[in-house]
Amino acid sequence: MVNKESVDYTLYLVTDSTMLPEGKTLLFQVEQGLKNGVTMVQLREKDTDAKTFVAEALAVKKICDSFNVPLIINDRVDVALAIDASGIHVGQEDIPIPMVRKLVGPDKIVGWSVGKVEEVDRLAEWGPDMIDYIGVGTVFETQTKKDIKKIPMGPEGVSRILTRLEEKKCDWIRTVAIGGLHPDNIGRVLFQAQALNGKRSVDGISIVSDIMASHDAGQSTRILRQILDKGSFHFFEGSEEAKDASTIKENVKKLAPLIHHITNRVHQNFGANVALAIGCSPIMSEVAEEFEDLSKIPHSVLLLNSGTVADISVLQHAVKTYNAQKRPIVFDPVGFSASSARLVLNKKVLSAGQFACIKGNTGEIMGVSGLGGNMKGVDSCGEDTLETRIKATQLVAFKYRTVAVCTGEIDVVADGSVSSTAPLKRGLGASPAELPYELIKGEDVPLFGRITASGCSLGTVIAGFIGAAAEESIYSAVLQAVSLYKLAGTKANVTAKGSGSFLVGLVDNLYNVMEE
Ligand SMILES: Cc1nc(C(=O)O)sc1CCOP(=O)(O)O
Ligand SMILES: C=C1C=NC(C(F)(F)F)=NC1=N
Ligand SMILES: [Mg+2]
């Protein structure tokens, strides 16, 4: 009889014998996993006849018992009882949970697949004696589960489930994330998937193909374990020279970061001039084949502006490439929910990687935060009060563990990258409202709204400053960039004779304030 409190969900292997590499057996892969850090096993063999399934289950149970690791049986309650497994896992389309619990009794572990918050509401109604853990997914695209109907929920979808569990006070429930999890993305899931009250993160992750289809299941398991066991995550390696935050502006001039723009046509020319004005070197490229080379150029930084015409696969490739190179990315979710097509595109980009900064106008930030309604065009709604804007900016910072910027007459900057830790189980320990933020005030500069790409080009300046900063000073870099941009605009406004001279004046003043 298993002690439910002591179950370790950290690395939960779910088997699949249809993907075994040549010469590897189910038992071999499972044993390699157990030897290298798997803490829980689920036998999930969808199209195996009962006799074979029972034989496999008995063999797997023998191995799990020798490692003192619980064995869960997928779907087949009869087999789970027949071999005295530690528990049973069922999906939404399987035997109803209350029946399962009645069949297996109170001591067995019962797991359920959950993809929607309504399913959390149901398990909350059933109370603490029904379900012990839930598999939350699918987080990313997966080829393993054939009949997957759910669209990938991303780390933010996991956060939504965790938040609901907290709202419904389901303290007894443990959670594992599942679906398309691999070494290149589990760090981000652990880092970003947090309940909004800061009191719950996932208890572990569940893996199928990364181990079951591996030619070296032991090595694959060790790699996954290393990521799970480290307490903090570092997504951006600042350049050596960028260590001292106080001289970011001098670093921008000295290091001349490469700002790789993937942006809309209107912003391309003006953004390049703004980059040059502050002493950076711009490149505008949607040529996916060159992204890796560009990300390797010292002090490179990616500015992704979703007003671009590039295909979503190009944007996702750019995000993965810069994340792999540990170089920062600034994301400007232009017109976040102005159309359903843009909403889908922006959400896909948001779940594709880790961003150093997410910058938008009020409508965009309200949209990304989940607080806002729909937007008209790409102009911000503007009717939101300052405290709502602060709340939305902190929410974006928290959800994506990034530095969030909400532009307006008063710019709001919030820092969600705090503490780079991502402890399993007990959550971040901070809620969105506790995140540090600053207001960048200044005079109103209406002419900003009368020129092209003024918001987009703030992204260029933010990217330039982040490119010259160390990871721990990204918040400071963004604050300095936003302040400098506002100062240049205010100065340009004084001498402007209209929108044309304002545009030229803005570039002149960006150039001059960098020299001061
Ligand atoms: C078994 C399973 N359940 C899912 C869910 O979303 O409930 S996704 C999935 C397959 C996950 O396999 P892989 O790690 O190879 O992507
Ligand atoms: C469909 C499934 C979803 N989640 C899980 C687990 F991760 F184990 F919780 N197992 C499944 N078979
Ligand atoms: Mg914008």
Side-chain angles (χ1 to χ4, degrees):
M1 205 264 284
V2 68
N3 166 6
K4 287 186 182 181
E5 296 312 310
S6 67
V7 173
D8 181 356
Y9 290 92
T10 305
L11 181 49
Y12 184 176
L13 172 61
V14 176
T15 70
D16 182 331
S17 48
T18 66
M19 58 172 67
L20 295 171
E22 197 50 42
K24 307 286 185 198
T25 63
L26 170 71
L27 297 183
F28 180 77
Q29 301 295 74
V30 170
E31 189 169 31
Q32 289 302 307
L34 288 166
K35 280 179 177 171
N36 291 281
V38 160
T39 59
M40 193 165 188
V41 176
Q42 178 188 134
L43 186 63
R44 176 176 184 269
E45 300 296 331
K46 278 300 190 188
D47 33 27
T48 307
D49 58 65
K51 187 161 176 279
T52 311
F53 192 58
V54 169
E56 276 178 357
L58 285 169
V60 172
K61 183 167 187 313
K62 208 168 156 67
I63 296 177
C64 289
D65 287 350
S66 70
F67 286 87
N68 193 25
V69 164
L71 171 63
I72 306 294
I73 301 297
N74 186 52
D75 285 357
R76 301 290 306 261
V77 181
D78 51 350
V79 175
L81 290 171
I83 70 152
D84 188 25
S86 306
I88 177 83
H89 184 95
V90 292
Q92 293 295 323
E93 310 308 316
D94 299 310
I95 308 174
I97 283 290
M99 280 185 191
V100 172
R101 178 53 79 191
K102 192 158 172 288
L103 283 169
V104 302
D107 299 331
K108 296 286 186 197
I109 297 168
V110 172
W112 204 32
S113 305
V114 166
K116 304 189 191 91
V117 288
E118 301 77 59
E119 292 154 0
V120 172
D121 297 347
R122 281 195 69 196
L123 69 84
E125 280 160 32
W126 284 327
D129 303 327
M130 198 65 82
I131 293 177
D132 299 296
Y133 79 84
I134 56 176
V136 183
T138 186
V139 185
F140 300 112
E141 306 270 344
T142 177
Q143 276 70 44
T144 302
K145 189 172 169 102
K146 304 291 177 281
D147 61 347
I148 204 98
K149 291 180 285 298
K150 309 179 265 189
I151 56 163
M153 61 170 68
E156 65 201 274
V158 181
S159 298
R160 240 190 335 271
I161 300 292
L162 297 176
T163 297
R164 194 56 158 235
L165 286 170
E166 288 301 295
E167 285 168 350
K168 294 282 182 178
K169 307 202 180 326
C170 301
D171 302 341
W172 70 91
I173 292 283
R174 304 277 55 86
T175 62
V176 289
I178 187 168
L181 297 179
H182 297 280
D184 72 321
N185 62 27
I186 63 171
R188 185 157 53 86
V189 172
L190 300 173
F191 192 64
Q192 289 187 5
Q194 306 287 340
L196 282 184
N197 67 0
K199 293 196 170 71
R200 182 193 273 270
S201 38
V202 291
D203 294 282
I205 58 141
S206 182
I207 301 282
V208 186
S209 56
D210 203 73
I211 295 175
M212 294 309 294
S214 170
H215 290 273
D216 184 347
Q219 171 68 356
S220 298
T221 306
R222 280 194 296 278
I223 290 167
L224 293 164
R225 219 34 251 216
Q226 276 158 9
I227 298 167
L228 284 158
D229 292 339
K230 67 180 172 185
S232 64
F233 293 85
H234 298 280
F235 293 93
F236 314 115
E237 272 155 18
S239 49
E240 272 321 297
E241 308 90 318
K243 288 296 170 213
D244 177 353
S246 63
T247 59
I248 293 175
K249 185 171 143 185
E250 290 315 308
N251 270 344
V252 171
K253 290 156 65 177
K254 190 167 65 177
L255 308 178
L258 174 89
I259 307 175
H260 175 187
H261 289 68
I262 298 180
T263 189
N264 60 68
R265 286 195 189 84
V266 168
H267 175 215
Q268 294 195 10
N269 177 270
F270 191 56
N273 280 307
V274 165
L276 291 163
I278 63 170
C280 293
S281 58
I283 183 163
M284 280 60 188
S285 164
E286 282 108 35
V287 180
E289 291 74 16
E290 67 183 359
F291 289 172
E292 188 169 354
D293 292 345
L294 295 176
S295 69
K296 287 178 174 167
I297 292 173
H299 329 304
S300 64
V301 52
L302 173 67
L303 171 60
L304 201 47
N305 173 303
S306 59
T308 177
V309 291
D311 186 75
I312 177 65
S313 59
V314 170
L315 306 186
Q316 289 167 320
H317 182 62
V319 171
K320 291 188 184 325
T321 304
Y322 277 79
N323 271 184
Q325 205 54 40
K326 289 189 177 292
R327 288 305 299 160
I329 307 173
V330 177
F331 182 44
D332 184 343
V334 172
F336 182 77
S337 54
S339 69
S340 56
R342 269 188 190 281
L343 184 61
V344 168
L345 180 125
N346 280 315
K347 279 186 172 292
K348 280 185 177 173
V349 173
L350 280 168
S351 72
Q354 180 64 35
F355 299 95
C357 176
I358 295 175
K359 182 245 5 137
N361 60 33
T362 299
E364 289 154 352
I365 292 299
M366 294 295 287
V368 176
S369 74
L371 289 181
N374 284 327
M375 283 177 61
K376 59 182 189 317
V378 291
D379 298 328
S380 91
C381 308
E383 83 268 1
D384 302 288
T385 58
L386 181 58
E387 53 268 24
T388 310
R389 293 179 63 226
I390 292 170
K391 187 160 179 275
T393 311
Q394 288 178 309
L395 257 178
V396 171
F398 185 93
K399 278 184 170 181
Y400 300 98
R401 302 294 304 276
T402 187
V403 176
V405 179
C406 179
T407 58
E409 197 175 317
I410 298 177
D411 296 323
V412 186
V413 185
D415 183 11
S417 63
V418 286
S419 81
S420 72
T421 59
L424 278 176
K425 307 181 196 316
R426 65 187 182 284
L428 198 58
S431 66
E434 292 160 310
L435 293 183
Y437 73 89
E438 290 212 15
L439 304 180
I440 314 282
K441 296 189 168 79
E443 296 154 40
D444 182 22
V445 180
L447 282 173
F448 262 132
R450 305 293 297 273
I451 62 168
T452 55
S454 59
C456 305
S457 299
L458 168 59
T460 300
V461 178
I462 289 173
F465 274 63
I466 287 179
E471 179 172 47
E472 56 277 7
S473 47
I474 286 178
Y475 182 41
S476 166
V478 175
L479 289 171
Q480 292 180 45
V482 173
S483 306
L484 183 127
Y485 197 72
K486 197 164 215 97
L487 175 63
T490 306
K491 286 173 176 271
N493 195 38
V494 168
T495 54
K497 302 219 174 356
S499 56
S501 47
F502 174 73
L503 191 148
V504 170
L506 178 61
V507 176
D508 272 352
N509 280 290
L510 282 169
Y511 177 87
N512 293 323
V513 294
M514 285 301 287
E515 294 311 311
E516 275 158 18

